[in-house]
Amino acid sequence: MIQSMTGFGTAEKNGFRVDIRSLNHRHMEIFVKMPSFLIEHEMAIRTLIKNTFRRGRFDITISLDSQQKISINTNLKIASALCKAFDDLKKELHIEGPVDLRSMIMFKELILSEDIEYNPDDLFDAVNAASASLYDMRAKEGEALGQSMSGILRKLREIHNQMIICIENSIYFHIDSLKRKISNLLSTIPVDEARLSQEIVFMAQKSDLTEELARISSHLEQFALVMSKNEEAGRRLDFILQEILREANTISSKTDILEIINLSLDIKTEVEKLREQSQNIQ
């Protein structure tokens, strides 16, 4: 079953909160925002997402609540060195005033460090649960997209059937058109029916759209099959739609029957609707 590329999943486990938002993207992009002390787990989190999904932009935010046990460690050696350096600068530059903590606050990353107790299993439980939640939402969105696209596909089949009828009747249009042209040019001369038949055959061959119609029918069947069986359908569906557009353009260029031209335009209109929706499919 097809899957949408847009969705949101969230989960919490023992102080960890994980939010994952996914959006449309031609390939896969993963952005992780989390506390620096968790950075060692980033690659494992990226691998988990890559093993679960195939396409899309993923924004992952990991945060902790206030229940985590946090202790602050002070590096007194660096603090003392900074304090002495500031004091030396004061004397060298003749700056008045004491060296206080406000002078050192910009260097807090060097002086202070956090020591947080946590269980990595809790982190990955939260990531897995958020990923599963996102997967379910993308699947539901994909189901809704599939229903909408199936409706457009039915419309395309109807247009295709109308076009078959029009093309089957086009031979009579060519006969009448050619007879009128000949009669207008040679109104006093009887028409050679044998010669006329030859011209009709030539015109019919020139404007034969049987192959194009057969290919459109095949593409529509392929489209439905891919939608029903492939979770990674987006690129393949887009390729099939390009082929249908190609056949519709060929039909327009090979006929001068207005009704058939209009039907080919209808096909292109419906295909564009499908392309808009297929852009959101994994």
Side-chain angles (χ1 to χ4, degrees):
M1 198 64 180
I2 61 174
Q3 185 180 120
S4 169
M5 282 194 286
T6 59
F8 178 77
T10 185
E12 295 185 30
K13 179 67 180 291
N14 290 343
F16 285 104
R17 177 184 173 90
V18 178
D19 298 313
I20 309 177
R21 185 183 305 277
S22 69
L23 301 169
N24 297 354
H25 198 277
R26 289 185 62 188
H27 306 291
M28 173 174 276
E29 281 192 351
I30 303 173
F31 298 91
V32 184
K33 182 180 179 181
M34 61 185 178
S36 58
F37 70 89
L38 295 175
I39 200 69
E40 62 179 301
H41 303 297
E42 181 177 351
M43 291 306 298
I45 292 171
R46 288 176 174 273
T47 300
L48 188 152
I49 296 299
K50 289 179 181 179
N51 289 340
T52 307
F53 305 98
R54 295 295 175 268
R55 209 155 62 106
R57 173 194 166 112
F58 297 84
D59 293 304
I60 305 170
T61 303
I62 301 173
S63 57
L64 290 85
D65 63 23
S66 58
Q67 297 178 1
Q68 294 288 344
K69 294 180 180 180
I70 302 175
S71 59
I72 303 298
N73 302 316
T74 305
N75 192 321
L76 292 177
K77 286 186 177 181
I78 293 179
S80 297
L82 282 172
C83 187
K84 184 178 183 306
F86 283 131
D87 195 50
D88 291 343
L89 280 173
K90 278 181 55 183
K91 293 175 182 178
E92 185 71 25
L93 301 176
H94 307 289
I95 299 173
E96 296 182 358
V99 176
D100 56 20
L101 289 176
R102 284 177 296 182
S103 305
M104 304 173 67
I105 195 68
M106 293 182 63
F107 300 89
K108 63 180 181 180
E109 289 83 4
L110 298 175
I111 301 170
L112 305 176
S113 62
E114 293 180 338
D115 188 8
I116 302 177
E117 296 181 13
Y118 73 94
N119 185 345
D121 291 340
D122 293 336
L123 168 63
F124 284 98
D125 284 347
V127 172
N128 278 306
S131 176
S133 175
L134 172 63
Y135 187 96
D136 289 343
M137 185 172 182
R138 283 169 53 123
K140 289 178 182 177
E141 290 286 335
E143 184 178 359
L145 274 173
Q147 291 176 356
S148 176
M149 294 172 75
S150 293
I152 299 174
L153 204 58
R154 286 193 294 272
K155 180 75 176 293
L156 277 169
R157 289 194 178 102
E158 291 173 5
I159 297 171
H160 178 261
N161 290 334
Q162 292 175 35
M163 189 173 282
I164 290 175
I165 295 172
C166 287
I167 291 173
E168 287 176 349
N169 294 332
S170 67
I171 187 66
Y172 303 108
F173 169 87
H174 288 303
I175 292 174
D176 293 339
S177 175
L178 192 58
K179 279 186 175 180
R180 284 195 301 271
K181 289 178 181 178
I182 293 174
S183 296
N184 290 335
L185 291 173
L186 306 171
S187 56
T188 60
I189 302 175
V191 176
D192 184 341
E193 294 294 336
R195 177 63 177 171
L196 178 61
S197 297
Q198 291 178 354
E199 291 296 327
I200 293 298
V201 170
F202 173 75
M203 291 177 65
Q205 290 174 343
K206 185 178 179 181
S207 60
D208 182 26
L209 303 174
T210 304
E211 290 185 7
E212 287 79 7
L213 285 173
R215 283 194 288 266
I216 287 178
S217 178
S218 175
H219 293 327
L220 292 176
E221 293 302 319
Q222 284 183 316
F223 194 92
L225 184 63
V226 172
M227 277 182 55
S228 66
K229 292 187 175 181
N230 199 333
E231 283 193 352
E232 303 171 41
R235 291 190 180 93
R236 186 167 178 80
L237 292 179
D238 189 60
F239 173 77
I240 294 172
L241 291 173
Q242 289 180 35
E243 293 301 307
I244 296 175
L245 280 177
R246 192 195 312 276
E247 302 303 335
N249 286 327
T250 301
I251 289 173
S252 295
S253 67
K254 289 178 68 173
T255 184
D256 55 359
I257 301 175
L258 184 59
E259 189 175 1
I260 296 176
I261 293 173
N262 287 336
L263 287 171
S264 69
L265 289 174
D266 290 341
I267 286 179
K268 288 189 276 188
T269 298
E270 298 303 317
V271 166
E272 283 302 322
K273 292 179 184 178
L274 282 178
R275 289 188 73 175
E276 288 177 8
Q277 297 192 343
S278 68
Q279 298 299 315
N280 194 33
I281 293 175
Q282 175 176 259

